Amino acid sequence: MPTYDELSSADPPHSSWDVFGRDDELGTINLLTPERVAAAARLVRSGHRFNLDYPVNAFDPYPTGTRPATAHHVFANNEFHRDDWLDSFYLQSTSQLDALRHIGHPRHGFYNGLAASDNTSDSTRLGIHNWAESGIAGRGVLLDVARFFAAHGREYDCETTVVLDAPTLDAIAADQGVQWRGGDILLLRTGWAENYVAKSRPERIEFNTRNRSPGLAQREQTLRWLWDHEIALVASDTPAVEADPVIDSDFRVTGERAPERGVNHSGMLHRPLIALLGMAMGELWRLDQLAASCAQDGRYDFFLTCKPLNIPGGVGSPPNALAIK
């Protein structure tokens, strides 16, 4: 694997398109080799399982206001039959996994050079079905941000923009005794999701007017850290994984105008991370119970599986993720 700095000579710079091949649609999920999956399976000792998905509608109203609640309908054809269907099922409205077609780069397009004009509803390229077919399984590693800050007496509020830079990630890993093996699935527990779901609906509506969340720094050092550690997937319990809103970024594009509608992704880590490096990202994962177990037994690695819905061309999916210790 080339280092991040060695990717500076890639086309486009700091992209993995030639690392995994110009026809690739898996991105960093390629790092989950059979050997690494087999080694991760040996982490299972007690057999305790932890669901990492929140229920559908757990985050209603959704913080960005763009993903309405899902309607679940149950019907019966006779007394001893039941069937059901969903309306308004936004695939990224609860715990989610972002497909590689989700976010593009304003200069270089989507992952592996897919042009925005070709990333249409008629296309399935870079869809979530690729990861459904390959399956996602490997060594999961939890970094418990909230407990680390509390243990070291550092000021912390999960309702604010706490920026997590590379030295902070290293400090948490060292504090927990984490060793990196390559191909790891990184989980960041900030406490944001558990705080949000505990709120009443009026409290959520009020909070959404001032929504802030901790997350990864929008700095090149973050990309270097993730790539050089060979992270296969990075997920958190926040809506964006990265710090929100963007405060200081290495990724602003000169002269870029804000979009007419939707989230303004200017300066966001999503662009280089997904479109250039092809890194899998997960958001709003349920990490509180797993974090409590890790704090209790001192083991912060585990076997992790993730099986997104097999929707050809899907832009996202609930992760259907499970941690087994």
Side-chain angles (χ1 to χ4, degrees):
M1 288 285 289
T3 66
Y4 179 79
D5 288 338
E6 288 171 342
L7 290 178
S8 63
S9 59
D11 181 21
H14 294 297
S15 72
S16 67
W17 299 1
D18 286 320
V19 175
F20 299 125
R22 291 280 171 157
D23 293 327
D24 176 64
E25 298 188 52
L26 295 180
T28 53
I29 296 303
N30 282 293
L31 299 175
L32 298 173
T33 63
E35 295 78 13
R36 284 172 168 170
V37 175
R42 293 193 284 272
L43 293 171
V44 177
R45 301 175 189 173
S46 67
H48 290 153
R49 302 174 300 280
F50 298 88
N51 166 37
L52 306 184
D53 286 37
Y54 278 100
V56 172
N57 293 336
F59 297 95
D60 179 44
Y62 197 78
T64 62
T66 58
R67 297 166 182 167
T70 300
H72 180 212
H73 306 277
V74 178
F75 72 94
N77 285 330
N78 58 61
E79 183 181 1
F80 297 106
H81 164 267
R82 299 294 182 274
D83 212 334
D84 58 354
W85 80 95
L86 299 175
D87 282 332
S88 185
F89 183 21
Y90 281 69
L91 295 169
Q92 293 166 282
S93 63
T94 180
S95 301
Q96 62 194 261
L97 194 64
D98 291 343
L100 294 181
R101 70 178 302 185
H102 177 49
I103 295 292
H105 191 280
R107 288 179 177 163
H108 306 297
F110 290 80
Y111 179 68
N112 249 337
L114 178 65
S117 58
D118 293 328
N119 191 0
T120 68
S121 59
D122 296 326
S123 170
T124 62
R125 184 156 178 78
L126 305 182
I128 201 74
H129 65 285
N130 291 289
W131 292 337
E133 290 288 349
S134 70
I136 298 173
R139 177 182 182 241
V141 175
L142 176 83
L143 294 187
D144 196 334
V145 177
R147 277 188 173 83
F148 173 80
F149 274 71
H152 290 269
R154 296 173 59 175
E155 184 178 351
Y156 183 79
D157 182 354
C158 67
E159 294 190 0
T160 63
T161 310
V162 181
V163 179
L164 306 175
D165 57 17
T168 301
L169 299 179
D170 284 333
I172 299 172
D175 196 61
Q176 296 178 178
V178 167
Q179 299 293 321
W180 304 102
R181 299 179 184 174
D184 295 319
I185 299 170
L186 171 61
L187 306 181
L188 299 170
R189 184 246 169 185
T190 71
W192 189 95
E194 58 206 77
N195 177 66
Y196 190 86
V197 299
K199 293 179 180 293
S200 66
R201 186 175 182 83
E203 288 172 335
R204 294 181 184 188
I205 292 172
E206 184 279 327
F207 175 70
N208 288 344
T209 64
R210 54 179 178 85
N211 182 26
R212 301 285 187 274
S213 59
L216 296 174
Q218 287 91 4
R219 311 296 299 184
E220 191 172 38
Q221 66 167 219
T222 306
L223 298 181
R224 181 179 294 107
W225 191 96
L226 292 169
W227 179 261
D228 289 348
H229 282 76
E230 295 187 29
I231 300 299
L233 187 160
V234 56
S236 78
D237 58 354
T238 67
V241 178
E242 56 187 290
D244 183 39
V246 177
I247 296 177
D248 185 20
S249 174
D250 290 337
F251 310 116
R252 299 286 189 187
V253 175
T254 303
E256 183 180 12
R257 293 180 298 177
E260 294 181 2
R261 59 190 177 92
V263 175
N264 185 354
H265 293 100
S266 177
M268 287 187 67
L269 197 64
H270 270 61
R271 288 175 167 179
L273 199 59
I274 295 177
L276 298 185
L277 293 180
M279 187 162 289
M281 295 182 70
E283 296 154 344
L284 296 175
W285 285 29
R286 182 179 177 180
L287 303 178
D288 52 337
Q289 294 177 349
L290 174 62
S293 173
C294 292
Q296 183 176 29
D297 63 18
R299 288 182 56 215
Y300 288 87
D301 61 351
F302 35 83
F303 186 52
L304 190 149
T305 66
C306 176
K307 183 61 168 68
L309 297 176
N310 197 349
I311 301 176
V315 178
S317 168
N320 299 311
L322 192 68
I324 310 174
K325 299 189 75 177

